[in-house]
PDB file of all heavy atoms in Angstrom:
ATOM      1  N   SER A 836      77.762 116.815  98.508  1.00 98.00           N
ATOM      2  CA  SER A 836      76.746 117.782  98.931  1.00 98.00           C
ATOM      3  C   SER A 836      76.030 118.384  97.731  1.00 98.00           C
ATOM      4  O   SER A 836      76.583 118.453  96.626  1.00 98.00           O
ATOM      5  CB  SER A 836      77.391 118.896  99.756  1.00 98.00           C
ATOM      6  OG  SER A 836      78.200 119.719  98.934  1.00 98.00           O
ATOM      7  N   GLU A 837      74.805 118.824  97.935  1.00 97.00           N
ATOM      8  CA  GLU A 837      74.044 119.423  96.841  1.00 97.00           C
ATOM      9  C   GLU A 837      74.685 120.726  96.374  1.00 97.00           C
ATOM     10  O   GLU A 837      74.638 121.059  95.184  1.00 97.00           O
ATOM     11  CB  GLU A 837      72.595 119.663  97.270  1.00 97.00           C
ATOM     12  CG  GLU A 837      71.694 120.100  96.130  1.00 97.00           C
ATOM     13  CD  GLU A 837      71.711 119.144  94.941  1.00 97.00           C
ATOM     14  OE1 GLU A 837      71.806 117.915  95.159  1.00 97.00           O
ATOM     15  OE2 GLU A 837      71.644 119.611  93.791  1.00 97.00           O
ATOM     16  N   VAL A 838      75.299 121.460  97.304  1.00 97.00           N
ATOM     17  CA  VAL A 838      75.965 122.714  96.932  1.00 97.00           C
ATOM     18  C   VAL A 838      77.075 122.449  95.925  1.00 97.00           C
ATOM     19  O   VAL A 838      77.176 123.116  94.888  1.00 97.00           O
ATOM     20  CB  VAL A 838      76.526 123.428  98.183  1.00 97.00           C
ATOM     21  CG1 VAL A 838      77.447 124.582  97.775  1.00 97.00           C
ATOM     22  CG2 VAL A 838      75.398 123.939  99.057  1.00 97.00           C
ATOM     23  N   TYR A 839      77.927 121.453  96.225  1.00 98.00           N
ATOM     24  CA  TYR A 839      79.026 121.182  95.303  1.00 98.00           C
ATOM     25  C   TYR A 839      78.520 120.553  94.013  1.00 98.00           C
ATOM     26  O   TYR A 839      79.010 120.876  92.921  1.00 98.00           O
ATOM     27  CB  TYR A 839      80.083 120.271  95.930  1.00 98.00           C
ATOM     28  CG  TYR A 839      81.300 120.173  95.032  1.00 98.00           C
ATOM     29  CD1 TYR A 839      82.246 121.184  95.009  1.00 98.00           C
ATOM     30  CD2 TYR A 839      81.456 119.105  94.144  1.00 98.00           C
ATOM     31  CE1 TYR A 839      83.338 121.134  94.147  1.00 98.00           C
ATOM     32  CE2 TYR A 839      82.539 119.042  93.279  1.00 98.00           C
ATOM     33  CZ  TYR A 839      83.463 120.066  93.281  1.00 98.00           C
ATOM     34  OH  TYR A 839      84.526 120.024  92.411  1.00 98.00           O
ATOM     35  N   ARG A 840      77.552 119.669  94.105  1.00 97.00           N
ATOM     36  CA  ARG A 840      77.035 119.032  92.902  1.00 97.00           C
ATOM     37  C   ARG A 840      76.381 120.057  91.972  1.00 97.00           C
ATOM     38  O   ARG A 840      76.450 119.939  90.750  1.00 97.00           O
ATOM     39  CB  ARG A 840      76.055 117.915  93.261  1.00 97.00           C
ATOM     40  CG  ARG A 840      76.712 116.776  94.031  1.00 97.00           C
ATOM     41  CD  ARG A 840      75.755 115.622  94.261  1.00 97.00           C
ATOM     42  NE  ARG A 840      75.510 114.908  93.013  1.00 97.00           N
ATOM     43  CZ  ARG A 840      76.316 113.972  92.525  1.00 97.00           C
ATOM     44  NH1 ARG A 840      77.413 113.629  93.161  1.00 97.00           N
ATOM     45  NH2 ARG A 840      76.019 113.371  91.391  1.00 97.00           N
ATOM     46  N   THR A 841      75.764 121.077  92.538  1.00 96.00           N
ATOM     47  CA  THR A 841      75.192 122.152  91.724  1.00 96.00           C
ATOM     48  C   THR A 841      76.297 122.921  91.008  1.00 96.00           C
ATOM     49  O   THR A 841      76.196 123.229  89.811  1.00 96.00           O
ATOM     50  CB  THR A 841      74.363 123.110  92.599  1.00 96.00           C
ATOM     51  OG1 THR A 841      73.265 122.391  93.160  1.00 96.00           O
ATOM     52  CG2 THR A 841      73.832 124.277  91.778  1.00 96.00           C
ATOM     53  N   ALA A 842      77.383 123.216  91.736  1.00 95.00           N
ATOM     54  CA  ALA A 842      78.523 123.902  91.123  1.00 95.00           C
ATOM     55  C   ALA A 842      79.124 123.044  90.015  1.00 95.00           C
ATOM     56  O   ALA A 842      79.526 123.559  88.963  1.00 95.00           O
ATOM     57  CB  ALA A 842      79.570 124.221  92.182  1.00 95.00           C
ATOM     58  N   ALA A 843      79.184 121.732  90.244  1.00 95.00           N
ATOM     59  CA  ALA A 843      79.735 120.825  89.237  1.00 95.00           C
ATOM     60  C   ALA A 843      78.870 120.794  87.983  1.00 95.00           C
ATOM     61  O   ALA A 843      79.376 120.813  86.857  1.00 95.00           O
ATOM     62  CB  ALA A 843      79.879 119.420  89.824  1.00 95.00           C
ATOM     63  N   ARG A 844      77.548 120.756  88.168  1.00 93.00           N
ATOM     64  CA  ARG A 844      76.655 120.776  87.005  1.00 93.00           C
ATOM     65  C   ARG A 844      76.796 122.080  86.233  1.00 93.00           C
ATOM     66  O   ARG A 844      76.807 122.090  84.995  1.00 93.00           O
ATOM     67  CB  ARG A 844      75.205 120.572  87.456  1.00 93.00           C
ATOM     68  CG  ARG A 844      74.874 119.139  87.862  1.00 93.00           C
ATOM     69  CD  ARG A 844      73.368 118.938  87.979  1.00 93.00           C
ATOM     70  NE  ARG A 844      72.803 119.724  89.069  1.00 93.00           N
ATOM     71  CZ  ARG A 844      72.669 119.298  90.317  1.00 93.00           C
ATOM     72  NH1 ARG A 844      73.076 118.083  90.644  1.00 93.00           N
ATOM     73  NH2 ARG A 844      72.125 120.067  91.242  1.00 93.00           N
ATOM     74  N   THR A 845      76.916 123.187  86.959  1.00 91.00           N
ATOM     75  CA  THR A 845      77.109 124.495  86.315  1.00 91.00           C
ATOM     76  C   THR A 845      78.394 124.510  85.497  1.00 91.00           C
ATOM     77  O   THR A 845      78.468 125.137  84.434  1.00 91.00           O
ATOM     78  CB  THR A 845      77.137 125.610  87.366  1.00 91.00           C
ATOM     79  OG1 THR A 845      75.919 125.584  88.102  1.00 91.00           O
ATOM     80  CG2 THR A 845      77.317 126.981  86.714  1.00 91.00           C
ATOM     81  N   GLY A 846      79.397 123.796  85.986  1.00 90.00           N
ATOM     82  CA  GLY A 846      80.678 123.731  85.295  1.00 90.00           C
ATOM     83  C   GLY A 846      80.790 122.602  84.298  1.00 90.00           C
ATOM     84  O   GLY A 846      81.902 122.228  83.901  1.00 90.00           O
ATOM     85  N   SER A 847      79.661 122.032  83.874  1.00 91.00           N
ATOM     86  CA  SER A 847      79.622 120.963  82.860  1.00 91.00           C
ATOM     87  C   SER A 847      80.434 119.738  83.263  1.00 91.00           C
ATOM     88  O   SER A 847      81.084 119.088  82.434  1.00 91.00           O
ATOM     89  CB  SER A 847      80.109 121.485  81.496  1.00 91.00           C
ATOM     90  OG  SER A 847      79.229 122.448  80.988  1.00 91.00           O
TER      91      SER A 847
END
Side-chain angles (χ1 to χ4, degrees):
S836 70
E837 188 55 36
V838 169
Y839 188 79
R840 296 185 72 83
T841 297
R844 286 193 294 270
T845 302
S847 294

